Amino acid sequence: MIFNLNNGKCLTVGKKTLIMAILNITPDSFSDGGKFNEIDAAKRRVEELIAAGADIIDIGAESTRPNFTPITAEEEISRLEPILKAIVKECPLPVSVDTYKSKTAEAAINLGADIINDIHGLQYEDEPLAMARVAARFNTPVIAMHNNKADSVIDDIKRYFRQTLKIADEVGLNRENIIFDPGIGFCKTQEQNLEILRHLEELKTIDGMKYPLLLGVSRKSVIGYAIGLDVNERDEATGAICVIGITKGVNIFRVHNVEMIAKMCKMADALVNCCDNGGSSNGR
């Protein structure tokens, strides 16, 4: 599946596993807060991520770690604007912006961002339909993450994804512009996180249609829960999850340690023969 982005870039999903590199320009993210929120540091970091094997740069200006303190759209935009202005024109890779606020998303797209990464899956309660309308107006791909309490976790995630698709249909957002993310660590117990990781393949298909699947598990607490590692010791375990995820149909991994994970995924692709179409009709 090929996403033709608004600024002439494109993103091909399904030909190989894609690596989304995390660039937090926040003072308080759980792993790298405060490291890259200055323009020069952010530009250097993007160059490093590209050299390390990134396929997408995902920029976040508001931490969504557990118990995070929300910021206004205006503050979020003020953090994003100088970084996007400095990076987008020179960056050969698609740039996504990690935000659940429609005002921020619209500003970011106007500044050259290519993809919206929405942790509320187009369902943010304070802005019903607003994010979907922005994505539809600009024909922008959306990563729609599950972010809701679940009992029967796989079934509940699929119900949530169906609601995202219903919202997309309501505002005229093409379903082929949607990438799903099961939301590891968001409104879930650690046992539910593990259950999702064991059953990722069940989330690829919604009502007979296949969609690209993104997984964000890099350095998350589920790893500490499972094998007792501190946050800065979790890269190898992250890689293990990614390799298994490839065998279960995951198309994109959002990670901190790009170089390590990119090498692991490249080898896994060679073994799994990752040549299927990751889009909404067939394949991975």
Side-chain angles (χ1 to χ4, degrees):
M1 182 175 189
I2 298 176
F3 292 90
N4 292 307
L5 306 174
N6 293 324
N7 58 12
K9 299 175 186 176
C10 67
L11 183 70
T12 301
V13 178
K15 188 174 181 180
K16 74 179 189 81
T17 299
L18 301 179
I19 304 298
M20 173 183 273
I22 298 169
L23 178 62
N24 286 320
I25 56 170
T26 59
D28 56 345
S29 291
F30 80 94
S31 179
D32 54 3
K35 291 184 177 180
F36 309 116
N37 51 349
E38 299 294 335
I39 291 175
D40 288 344
K43 289 178 69 174
R44 287 194 299 271
R45 184 57 177 161
V46 168
E47 291 172 358
E48 292 169 356
L49 294 171
I50 293 171
D55 299 290
I56 307 165
I57 306 295
D58 187 50
I59 301 177
E62 177 182 24
S63 173
T64 53
R65 62 183 172 80
N67 302 313
F68 75 97
T69 301
I71 62 174
T72 64
E74 288 73 20
E75 184 174 355
E76 191 176 24
I77 292 166
S78 72
R79 293 178 182 181
L80 282 167
E81 184 172 4
I83 302 297
L84 287 173
K85 284 182 175 179
I87 286 172
V88 166
K89 288 184 180 179
E90 299 178 7
C91 182
L93 304 180
V95 173
S96 69
V97 170
D98 184 357
T99 184
Y100 55 91
K101 303 183 188 75
S102 62
K103 186 175 181 180
T104 302
E106 183 169 0
I109 293 167
N110 283 323
L111 288 164
D114 304 288
I115 300 167
I116 299 167
N117 185 6
D118 180 4
I119 66 166
H120 284 282
L122 304 180
Q123 299 183 48
Y124 183 44
E125 291 180 357
D126 290 355
E127 299 184 334
L129 302 182
M131 183 69 88
R133 288 195 175 106
V134 169
R137 187 163 71 252
F138 289 96
N139 194 33
T140 303
V142 175
I143 298 161
M145 195 191 82
H146 175 268
N147 194 344
N148 202 11
K149 290 183 179 180
D151 295 318
S152 177
V153 67
I154 299 299
D155 289 341
D156 287 346
I157 290 173
K158 296 184 86 164
R159 275 192 286 271
Y160 188 94
F161 288 169
R162 289 188 187 98
Q163 180 62 22
T164 293
L165 294 172
K166 181 180 178 182
I167 290 168
D169 292 343
E170 185 171 343
V171 303
L173 173 61
N174 191 334
R175 288 186 173 202
E176 291 189 353
N177 270 350
I178 294 176
I179 298 165
F180 285 124
D181 174 354
I184 297 295
F186 288 81
C187 294
K188 299 169 183 72
T189 68
Q190 298 294 16
E191 286 299 329
Q192 287 177 327
N193 289 325
L194 291 173
E195 183 178 353
I196 293 166
L197 294 174
R198 295 184 185 111
H199 297 278
L200 288 165
E201 68 279 3
E202 296 180 31
L203 299 174
K204 282 289 296 181
T205 304
I206 308 296
D207 298 331
M209 302 293 287
K210 289 191 175 182
Y211 293 86
L213 190 64
L214 179 145
L215 185 64
V217 72
S218 184
R219 299 178 181 172
K220 287 190 175 179
S221 60
V222 65
I223 297 171
Y225 172 79
I227 57 176
L229 295 176
D230 291 334
V231 64
N232 292 318
E233 300 175 328
R234 296 174 184 170
D235 285 344
E236 294 89 348
T238 298
I241 294 171
C242 292
V243 168
I244 293 172
I246 289 172
T247 71
K248 293 178 175 289
V250 178
N251 302 100
I252 307 170
F253 295 100
R254 184 178 182 273
V255 302
H256 297 88
N257 190 330
V258 169
E259 184 173 10
M260 174 188 290
I261 306 304
K263 289 176 180 177
M264 295 176 75
C265 289
K266 188 174 182 179
M267 187 66 223
D269 279 351
L271 296 174
V272 173
N273 192 24
C274 169
C275 296
D276 293 330
N277 184 329
S280 60
S281 59
N282 54 35
R284 284 184 66 225

PDB file of all heavy atoms in Angstrom, residues 191-224:
ATOM      1  N   GLU A 191      -1.329  -7.320  32.176  1.00  0.00           N
ATOM      2  CA  GLU A 191      -1.752  -8.595  31.598  1.00  0.00           C
ATOM      3  C   GLU A 191      -2.474  -8.387  30.279  1.00  0.00           C
ATOM      4  O   GLU A 191      -2.320  -9.172  29.340  1.00  0.00           O
ATOM      5  CB  GLU A 191      -2.638  -9.362  32.591  1.00  0.00           C
ATOM      6  CG  GLU A 191      -1.874  -9.986  33.747  1.00  0.00           C
ATOM      7  CD  GLU A 191      -0.847 -11.016  33.283  1.00  0.00           C
ATOM      8  OE1 GLU A 191      -1.081 -11.683  32.252  1.00  0.00           O
ATOM      9  OE2 GLU A 191       0.203 -11.137  33.941  1.00  0.00           O
ATOM     10  N   GLN A 192      -3.262  -7.321  30.185  1.00  0.00           N
ATOM     11  CA  GLN A 192      -3.917  -7.020  28.908  1.00  0.00           C
ATOM     12  C   GLN A 192      -2.893  -6.638  27.842  1.00  0.00           C
ATOM     13  O   GLN A 192      -3.029  -7.027  26.676  1.00  0.00           O
ATOM     14  CB  GLN A 192      -4.931  -5.892  29.099  1.00  0.00           C
ATOM     15  CG  GLN A 192      -6.184  -6.330  29.850  1.00  0.00           C
ATOM     16  CD  GLN A 192      -7.130  -5.185  30.097  1.00  0.00           C
ATOM     17  OE1 GLN A 192      -6.720  -4.039  30.295  1.00  0.00           O
ATOM     18  NE2 GLN A 192      -8.427  -5.485  30.090  1.00  0.00           N
ATOM     19  N   ASN A 193      -1.866  -5.881  28.235  1.00  0.00           N
ATOM     20  CA  ASN A 193      -0.802  -5.554  27.288  1.00  0.00           C
ATOM     21  C   ASN A 193      -0.159  -6.821  26.723  1.00  0.00           C
ATOM     22  O   ASN A 193       0.076  -6.943  25.516  1.00  0.00           O
ATOM     23  CB  ASN A 193       0.268  -4.696  27.962  1.00  0.00           C
ATOM     24  CG  ASN A 193      -0.200  -3.286  28.258  1.00  0.00           C
ATOM     25  OD1 ASN A 193      -0.970  -2.701  27.497  1.00  0.00           O
ATOM     26  ND2 ASN A 193       0.277  -2.726  29.359  1.00  0.00           N
ATOM     27  N   LEU A 194       0.111  -7.759  27.593  1.00  0.00           N
ATOM     28  CA  LEU A 194       0.721  -9.014  27.143  1.00  0.00           C
ATOM     29  C   LEU A 194      -0.235  -9.807  26.254  1.00  0.00           C
ATOM     30  O   LEU A 194       0.186 -10.415  25.262  1.00  0.00           O
ATOM     31  CB  LEU A 194       1.147  -9.850  28.352  1.00  0.00           C
ATOM     32  CG  LEU A 194       2.321  -9.288  29.169  1.00  0.00           C
ATOM     33  CD1 LEU A 194       2.526 -10.119  30.434  1.00  0.00           C
ATOM     34  CD2 LEU A 194       3.596  -9.249  28.345  1.00  0.00           C
ATOM     35  N   GLU A 195      -1.510  -9.788  26.591  1.00  0.00           N
ATOM     36  CA  GLU A 195      -2.480 -10.494  25.754  1.00  0.00           C
ATOM     37  C   GLU A 195      -2.520  -9.897  24.351  1.00  0.00           C
ATOM     38  O   GLU A 195      -2.584 -10.634  23.355  1.00  0.00           O
ATOM     39  CB  GLU A 195      -3.876 -10.427  26.390  1.00  0.00           C
ATOM     40  CG  GLU A 195      -4.923 -11.207  25.602  1.00  0.00           C
ATOM     41  CD  GLU A 195      -6.300 -11.173  26.251  1.00  0.00           C
ATOM     42  OE1 GLU A 195      -6.427 -10.657  27.373  1.00  0.00           O
ATOM     43  OE2 GLU A 195      -7.255 -11.661  25.616  1.00  0.00           O
ATOM     44  N   ILE A 196      -2.480  -8.583  24.260  1.00  0.00           N
ATOM     45  CA  ILE A 196      -2.463  -7.940  22.944  1.00  0.00           C
ATOM     46  C   ILE A 196      -1.242  -8.387  22.153  1.00  0.00           C
ATOM     47  O   ILE A 196      -1.339  -8.744  20.972  1.00  0.00           O
ATOM     48  CB  ILE A 196      -2.460  -6.407  23.103  1.00  0.00           C
ATOM     49  CG1 ILE A 196      -3.778  -5.934  23.698  1.00  0.00           C
ATOM     50  CG2 ILE A 196      -2.219  -5.726  21.752  1.00  0.00           C
ATOM     51  CD1 ILE A 196      -3.732  -4.501  24.202  1.00  0.00           C
ATOM     52  N   LEU A 197      -0.084  -8.384  22.795  1.00  0.00           N
ATOM     53  CA  LEU A 197       1.151  -8.760  22.099  1.00  0.00           C
ATOM     54  C   LEU A 197       1.105 -10.213  21.630  1.00  0.00           C
ATOM     55  O   LEU A 197       1.691 -10.551  20.607  1.00  0.00           O
ATOM     56  CB  LEU A 197       2.352  -8.518  23.010  1.00  0.00           C
ATOM     57  CG  LEU A 197       2.623  -7.047  23.360  1.00  0.00           C
ATOM     58  CD1 LEU A 197       3.750  -6.943  24.386  1.00  0.00           C
ATOM     59  CD2 LEU A 197       2.963  -6.238  22.115  1.00  0.00           C
ATOM     60  N   ARG A 198       0.400 -11.048  22.365  1.00  0.00           N
ATOM     61  CA  ARG A 198       0.281 -12.456  21.959  1.00  0.00           C
ATOM     62  C   ARG A 198      -0.700 -12.647  20.811  1.00  0.00           C
ATOM     63  O   ARG A 198      -0.681 -13.679  20.135  1.00  0.00           O
ATOM     64  CB  ARG A 198      -0.165 -13.296  23.153  1.00  0.00           C
ATOM     65  CG  ARG A 198       0.850 -13.365  24.303  1.00  0.00           C
ATOM     66  CD  ARG A 198       0.360 -14.297  25.395  1.00  0.00           C
ATOM     67  NE  ARG A 198       1.247 -14.282  26.552  1.00  0.00           N
ATOM     68  CZ  ARG A 198       0.933 -13.769  27.746  1.00  0.00           C
ATOM     69  NH1 ARG A 198      -0.271 -13.230  27.930  1.00  0.00           N
ATOM     70  NH2 ARG A 198       1.799 -13.787  28.736  1.00  0.00           N
ATOM     71  N   HIS A 199      -1.585 -11.670  20.588  1.00  0.00           N
ATOM     72  CA  HIS A 199      -2.676 -11.854  19.616  1.00  0.00           C
ATOM     73  C   HIS A 199      -2.734 -10.704  18.603  1.00  0.00           C
ATOM     74  O   HIS A 199      -3.818 -10.380  18.099  1.00  0.00           O
ATOM     75  CB  HIS A 199      -4.015 -11.976  20.357  1.00  0.00           C
ATOM     76  CG  HIS A 199      -4.094 -13.160  21.259  1.00  0.00           C
ATOM     77  ND1 HIS A 199      -4.408 -14.424  20.797  1.00  0.00           N
ATOM     78  CD2 HIS A 199      -3.874 -13.284  22.588  1.00  0.00           C
ATOM     79  CE1 HIS A 199      -4.389 -15.273  21.818  1.00  0.00           C
ATOM     80  NE2 HIS A 199      -4.061 -14.614  22.915  1.00  0.00           N
ATOM     81  N   LEU A 200      -1.608 -10.133  18.264  1.00  0.00           N
ATOM     82  CA  LEU A 200      -1.587  -9.002  17.335  1.00  0.00           C
ATOM     83  C   LEU A 200      -2.225  -9.330  15.993  1.00  0.00           C
ATOM     84  O   LEU A 200      -2.876  -8.480  15.372  1.00  0.00           O
ATOM     85  CB  LEU A 200      -0.142  -8.537  17.123  1.00  0.00           C
ATOM     86  CG  LEU A 200       0.512  -7.809  18.296  1.00  0.00           C
ATOM     87  CD1 LEU A 200       2.020  -7.734  18.087  1.00  0.00           C
ATOM     88  CD2 LEU A 200      -0.080  -6.417  18.462  1.00  0.00           C
ATOM     89  N   GLU A 201      -2.042 -10.554  15.533  1.00  0.00           N
ATOM     90  CA  GLU A 201      -2.565 -10.927  14.214  1.00  0.00           C
ATOM     91  C   GLU A 201      -4.089 -10.785  14.141  1.00  0.00           C
ATOM     92  O   GLU A 201      -4.648 -10.567  13.065  1.00  0.00           O
ATOM     93  CB  GLU A 201      -2.153 -12.355  13.850  1.00  0.00           C
ATOM     94  CG  GLU A 201      -2.783 -13.460  14.681  1.00  0.00           C
ATOM     95  CD  GLU A 201      -2.123 -13.693  16.033  1.00  0.00           C
ATOM     96  OE1 GLU A 201      -1.183 -12.954  16.391  1.00  0.00           O
ATOM     97  OE2 GLU A 201      -2.557 -14.637  16.738  1.00  0.00           O
ATOM     98  N   GLU A 202      -4.765 -10.859  15.301  1.00  0.00           N
ATOM     99  CA  GLU A 202      -6.217 -10.743  15.307  1.00  0.00           C
ATOM    100  C   GLU A 202      -6.688  -9.304  15.089  1.00  0.00           C
ATOM    101  O   GLU A 202      -7.871  -9.060  14.814  1.00  0.00           O
ATOM    102  CB  GLU A 202      -6.779 -11.283  16.619  1.00  0.00           C
ATOM    103  CG  GLU A 202      -6.522 -12.771  16.828  1.00  0.00           C
ATOM    104  CD  GLU A 202      -7.091 -13.289  18.132  1.00  0.00           C
ATOM    105  OE1 GLU A 202      -8.130 -12.737  18.578  1.00  0.00           O
ATOM    106  OE2 GLU A 202      -6.510 -14.227  18.709  1.00  0.00           O
ATOM    107  N   LEU A 203      -5.772  -8.355  15.211  1.00  0.00           N
ATOM    108  CA  LEU A 203      -6.125  -6.949  15.062  1.00  0.00           C
ATOM    109  C   LEU A 203      -5.859  -6.415  13.659  1.00  0.00           C
ATOM    110  O   LEU A 203      -6.120  -5.252  13.372  1.00  0.00           O
ATOM    111  CB  LEU A 203      -5.359  -6.105  16.088  1.00  0.00           C
ATOM    112  CG  LEU A 203      -5.659  -6.452  17.550  1.00  0.00           C
ATOM    113  CD1 LEU A 203      -4.748  -5.660  18.481  1.00  0.00           C
ATOM    114  CD2 LEU A 203      -7.124  -6.166  17.879  1.00  0.00           C
ATOM    115  N   LYS A 204      -5.342  -7.256  12.788  1.00  0.00           N
ATOM    116  CA  LYS A 204      -5.059  -6.829  11.422  1.00  0.00           C
ATOM    117  C   LYS A 204      -6.320  -6.663  10.586  1.00  0.00           C
ATOM    118  O   LYS A 204      -6.357  -5.870   9.656  1.00  0.00           O
ATOM    119  CB  LYS A 204      -4.162  -7.871  10.726  1.00  0.00           C
ATOM    120  CG  LYS A 204      -2.712  -7.811  11.099  1.00  0.00           C
ATOM    121  CD  LYS A 204      -2.027  -6.584  10.513  1.00  0.00           C
ATOM    122  CE  LYS A 204      -2.001  -6.608   8.995  1.00  0.00           C
ATOM    123  NZ  LYS A 204      -1.310  -5.407   8.446  1.00  0.00           N
ATOM    124  N   THR A 205      -7.343  -7.431  10.908  1.00  0.00           N
ATOM    125  CA  THR A 205      -8.536  -7.479  10.068  1.00  0.00           C
ATOM    126  C   THR A 205      -9.749  -6.975  10.839  1.00  0.00           C
ATOM    127  O   THR A 205     -10.038  -7.447  11.937  1.00  0.00           O
ATOM    128  CB  THR A 205      -8.794  -8.914   9.577  1.00  0.00           C
ATOM    129  OG1 THR A 205      -7.639  -9.393   8.890  1.00  0.00           O
ATOM    130  CG2 THR A 205      -9.985  -8.959   8.641  1.00  0.00           C
ATOM    131  N   ILE A 206     -10.420  -6.000  10.268  1.00  0.00           N
ATOM    132  CA  ILE A 206     -11.665  -5.481  10.841  1.00  0.00           C
ATOM    133  C   ILE A 206     -12.775  -5.713   9.836  1.00  0.00           C
ATOM    134  O   ILE A 206     -12.764  -5.157   8.726  1.00  0.00           O
ATOM    135  CB  ILE A 206     -11.550  -3.972  11.165  1.00  0.00           C
ATOM    136  CG1 ILE A 206     -10.312  -3.680  12.026  1.00  0.00           C
ATOM    137  CG2 ILE A 206     -12.830  -3.480  11.842  1.00  0.00           C
ATOM    138  CD1 ILE A 206     -10.333  -4.310  13.390  1.00  0.00           C
ATOM    139  N   ASP A 207     -13.719  -6.571  10.196  1.00  0.00           N
ATOM    140  CA  ASP A 207     -14.873  -6.879   9.337  1.00  0.00           C
ATOM    141  C   ASP A 207     -14.448  -7.266   7.925  1.00  0.00           C
ATOM    142  O   ASP A 207     -14.992  -6.782   6.929  1.00  0.00           O
ATOM    143  CB  ASP A 207     -15.832  -5.677   9.300  1.00  0.00           C
ATOM    144  CG  ASP A 207     -16.398  -5.369  10.676  1.00  0.00           C
ATOM    145  OD1 ASP A 207     -16.527  -6.302  11.491  1.00  0.00           O
ATOM    146  OD2 ASP A 207     -16.699  -4.188  10.940  1.00  0.00           O
ATOM    147  N   GLY A 208     -13.447  -8.136   7.856  1.00  0.00           N
ATOM    148  CA  GLY A 208     -13.016  -8.690   6.584  1.00  0.00           C
ATOM    149  C   GLY A 208     -12.023  -7.850   5.813  1.00  0.00           C
ATOM    150  O   GLY A 208     -11.529  -8.277   4.764  1.00  0.00           O
ATOM    151  N   MET A 209     -11.688  -6.663   6.292  1.00  0.00           N
ATOM    152  CA  MET A 209     -10.736  -5.785   5.617  1.00  0.00           C
ATOM    153  C   MET A 209      -9.461  -5.678   6.448  1.00  0.00           C
ATOM    154  O   MET A 209      -9.526  -5.534   7.666  1.00  0.00           O
ATOM    155  CB  MET A 209     -11.332  -4.399   5.410  1.00  0.00           C
ATOM    156  CG  MET A 209     -12.618  -4.404   4.597  1.00  0.00           C
ATOM    157  SD  MET A 209     -12.362  -4.881   2.874  1.00  0.00           S
ATOM    158  CE  MET A 209     -11.560  -3.413   2.256  1.00  0.00           C
ATOM    159  N   LYS A 210      -8.318  -5.745   5.766  1.00  0.00           N
ATOM    160  CA  LYS A 210      -7.043  -5.637   6.453  1.00  0.00           C
ATOM    161  C   LYS A 210      -6.529  -4.196   6.431  1.00  0.00           C
ATOM    162  O   LYS A 210      -6.658  -3.500   5.420  1.00  0.00           O
ATOM    163  CB  LYS A 210      -6.013  -6.572   5.818  1.00  0.00           C
ATOM    164  CG  LYS A 210      -6.289  -8.043   6.112  1.00  0.00           C
ATOM    165  CD  LYS A 210      -5.126  -8.924   5.704  1.00  0.00           C
ATOM    166  CE  LYS A 210      -5.390 -10.376   6.125  1.00  0.00           C
ATOM    167  NZ  LYS A 210      -4.269 -11.263   5.789  1.00  0.00           N
ATOM    168  N   TYR A 211      -5.946  -3.791   7.562  1.00  0.00           N
ATOM    169  CA  TYR A 211      -5.406  -2.448   7.702  1.00  0.00           C
ATOM    170  C   TYR A 211      -3.958  -2.530   8.184  1.00  0.00           C
ATOM    171  O   TYR A 211      -3.586  -3.461   8.904  1.00  0.00           O
ATOM    172  CB  TYR A 211      -6.238  -1.647   8.722  1.00  0.00           C
ATOM    173  CG  TYR A 211      -7.636  -1.369   8.245  1.00  0.00           C
ATOM    174  CD1 TYR A 211      -8.653  -2.311   8.440  1.00  0.00           C
ATOM    175  CD2 TYR A 211      -7.935  -0.193   7.573  1.00  0.00           C
ATOM    176  CE1 TYR A 211      -9.939  -2.072   7.977  1.00  0.00           C
ATOM    177  CE2 TYR A 211      -9.226   0.052   7.112  1.00  0.00           C
ATOM    178  CZ  TYR A 211     -10.214  -0.887   7.314  1.00  0.00           C
ATOM    179  OH  TYR A 211     -11.485  -0.655   6.851  1.00  0.00           O
ATOM    180  N   PRO A 212      -3.138  -1.551   7.801  1.00  0.00           N
ATOM    181  CA  PRO A 212      -1.785  -1.507   8.361  1.00  0.00           C
ATOM    182  C   PRO A 212      -1.839  -1.400   9.877  1.00  0.00           C
ATOM    183  O   PRO A 212      -2.734  -0.750  10.440  1.00  0.00           O
ATOM    184  CB  PRO A 212      -1.186  -0.240   7.733  1.00  0.00           C
ATOM    185  CG  PRO A 212      -1.993   0.011   6.508  1.00  0.00           C
ATOM    186  CD  PRO A 212      -3.384  -0.456   6.840  1.00  0.00           C
ATOM    187  N   LEU A 213      -0.873  -2.025  10.529  1.00  0.00           N
ATOM    188  CA  LEU A 213      -0.840  -2.052  11.982  1.00  0.00           C
ATOM    189  C   LEU A 213       0.491  -1.508  12.471  1.00  0.00           C
ATOM    190  O   LEU A 213       1.563  -1.919  12.008  1.00  0.00           O
ATOM    191  CB  LEU A 213      -1.027  -3.489  12.480  1.00  0.00           C
ATOM    192  CG  LEU A 213      -1.264  -3.694  13.977  1.00  0.00           C
ATOM    193  CD1 LEU A 213      -2.573  -3.039  14.412  1.00  0.00           C
ATOM    194  CD2 LEU A 213      -1.295  -5.186  14.312  1.00  0.00           C
ATOM    195  N   LEU A 214       0.426  -0.564  13.383  1.00  0.00           N
ATOM    196  CA  LEU A 214       1.604   0.015  14.034  1.00  0.00           C
ATOM    197  C   LEU A 214       1.641  -0.442  15.482  1.00  0.00           C
ATOM    198  O   LEU A 214       0.602  -0.533  16.134  1.00  0.00           O
ATOM    199  CB  LEU A 214       1.559   1.542  13.952  1.00  0.00           C
ATOM    200  CG  LEU A 214       2.713   2.313  14.601  1.00  0.00           C
ATOM    201  CD1 LEU A 214       3.032   3.575  13.799  1.00  0.00           C
ATOM    202  CD2 LEU A 214       2.419   2.701  16.049  1.00  0.00           C
ATOM    203  N   LEU A 215       2.845  -0.692  15.981  1.00  0.00           N
ATOM    204  CA  LEU A 215       3.011  -1.086  17.375  1.00  0.00           C
ATOM    205  C   LEU A 215       4.018  -0.165  18.046  1.00  0.00           C
ATOM    206  O   LEU A 215       5.139   0.000  17.578  1.00  0.00           O
ATOM    207  CB  LEU A 215       3.496  -2.530  17.471  1.00  0.00           C
ATOM    208  CG  LEU A 215       3.598  -3.109  18.881  1.00  0.00           C
ATOM    209  CD1 LEU A 215       2.219  -3.194  19.538  1.00  0.00           C
ATOM    210  CD2 LEU A 215       4.254  -4.484  18.853  1.00  0.00           C
ATOM    211  N   GLY A 216       3.598   0.432  19.155  1.00  0.00           N
ATOM    212  CA  GLY A 216       4.480   1.270  19.959  1.00  0.00           C
ATOM    213  C   GLY A 216       4.676   0.645  21.327  1.00  0.00           C
ATOM    214  O   GLY A 216       3.837   0.796  22.210  1.00  0.00           O
ATOM    215  N   VAL A 217       5.775  -0.076  21.479  1.00  0.00           N
ATOM    216  CA  VAL A 217       6.032  -0.744  22.758  1.00  0.00           C
ATOM    217  C   VAL A 217       7.422  -0.423  23.287  1.00  0.00           C
ATOM    218  O   VAL A 217       7.841  -0.927  24.319  1.00  0.00           O
ATOM    219  CB  VAL A 217       5.834  -2.277  22.595  1.00  0.00           C
ATOM    220  CG1 VAL A 217       6.961  -2.896  21.790  1.00  0.00           C
ATOM    221  CG2 VAL A 217       5.657  -2.969  23.943  1.00  0.00           C
ATOM    222  N   SER A 218       8.120   0.474  22.605  1.00  0.00           N
ATOM    223  CA  SER A 218       9.517   0.741  22.915  1.00  0.00           C
ATOM    224  C   SER A 218       9.726   1.194  24.362  1.00  0.00           C
ATOM    225  O   SER A 218       9.162   2.200  24.801  1.00  0.00           O
ATOM    226  CB  SER A 218      10.040   1.827  21.967  1.00  0.00           C
ATOM    227  OG  SER A 218      11.402   2.061  22.163  1.00  0.00           O
ATOM    228  N   ARG A 219      10.515   0.414  25.099  1.00  0.00           N
ATOM    229  CA  ARG A 219      10.920   0.729  26.477  1.00  0.00           C
ATOM    230  C   ARG A 219       9.750   0.863  27.447  1.00  0.00           C
ATOM    231  O   ARG A 219       9.912   1.396  28.547  1.00  0.00           O
ATOM    232  CB  ARG A 219      11.770   2.013  26.511  1.00  0.00           C
ATOM    233  CG  ARG A 219      13.053   1.928  25.707  1.00  0.00           C
ATOM    234  CD  ARG A 219      13.821   3.232  25.722  1.00  0.00           C
ATOM    235  NE  ARG A 219      15.044   3.160  24.923  1.00  0.00           N
ATOM    236  CZ  ARG A 219      15.822   4.198  24.640  1.00  0.00           C
ATOM    237  NH1 ARG A 219      15.496   5.395  25.078  1.00  0.00           N
ATOM    238  NH2 ARG A 219      16.905   4.050  23.904  1.00  0.00           N
ATOM    239  N   LYS A 220       8.584   0.354  27.097  1.00  0.00           N
ATOM    240  CA  LYS A 220       7.412   0.567  27.945  1.00  0.00           C
ATOM    241  C   LYS A 220       7.414  -0.343  29.169  1.00  0.00           C
ATOM    242  O   LYS A 220       8.129  -1.334  29.240  1.00  0.00           O
ATOM    243  CB  LYS A 220       6.131   0.397  27.119  1.00  0.00           C
ATOM    244  CG  LYS A 220       5.902   1.573  26.174  1.00  0.00           C
ATOM    245  CD  LYS A 220       4.531   1.540  25.544  1.00  0.00           C
ATOM    246  CE  LYS A 220       4.285   2.799  24.709  1.00  0.00           C
ATOM    247  NZ  LYS A 220       2.956   2.774  24.060  1.00  0.00           N
ATOM    248  N   SER A 221       6.535   0.015  30.109  1.00  0.00           N
ATOM    249  CA  SER A 221       6.541  -0.645  31.410  1.00  0.00           C
ATOM    250  C   SER A 221       6.137  -2.109  31.334  1.00  0.00           C
ATOM    251  O   SER A 221       6.461  -2.889  32.243  1.00  0.00           O
ATOM    252  CB  SER A 221       5.615   0.088  32.382  1.00  0.00           C
ATOM    253  OG  SER A 221       4.291   0.101  31.897  1.00  0.00           O
ATOM    254  N   VAL A 222       5.439  -2.515  30.266  1.00  0.00           N
ATOM    255  CA  VAL A 222       5.091  -3.926  30.141  1.00  0.00           C
ATOM    256  C   VAL A 222       6.342  -4.791  30.103  1.00  0.00           C
ATOM    257  O   VAL A 222       6.335  -5.935  30.578  1.00  0.00           O
ATOM    258  CB  VAL A 222       4.205  -4.171  28.898  1.00  0.00           C
ATOM    259  CG1 VAL A 222       4.946  -3.873  27.601  1.00  0.00           C
ATOM    260  CG2 VAL A 222       3.671  -5.592  28.892  1.00  0.00           C
ATOM    261  N   ILE A 223       7.428  -4.265  29.568  1.00  0.00           N
ATOM    262  CA  ILE A 223       8.693  -5.007  29.541  1.00  0.00           C
ATOM    263  C   ILE A 223       9.244  -5.149  30.955  1.00  0.00           C
ATOM    264  O   ILE A 223       9.689  -6.233  31.362  1.00  0.00           O
ATOM    265  CB  ILE A 223       9.713  -4.311  28.616  1.00  0.00           C
ATOM    266  CG1 ILE A 223       9.197  -4.311  27.173  1.00  0.00           C
ATOM    267  CG2 ILE A 223      11.079  -4.989  28.703  1.00  0.00           C
ATOM    268  CD1 ILE A 223      10.023  -3.474  26.219  1.00  0.00           C
ATOM    269  N   GLY A 224       9.194  -4.065  31.710  1.00  0.00           N
ATOM    270  CA  GLY A 224       9.619  -4.155  33.103  1.00  0.00           C
ATOM    271  C   GLY A 224       8.771  -5.122  33.898  1.00  0.00           C
ATOM    272  O   GLY A 224       9.276  -5.892  34.721  1.00  0.00           O
TER     273      GLY A 224
END
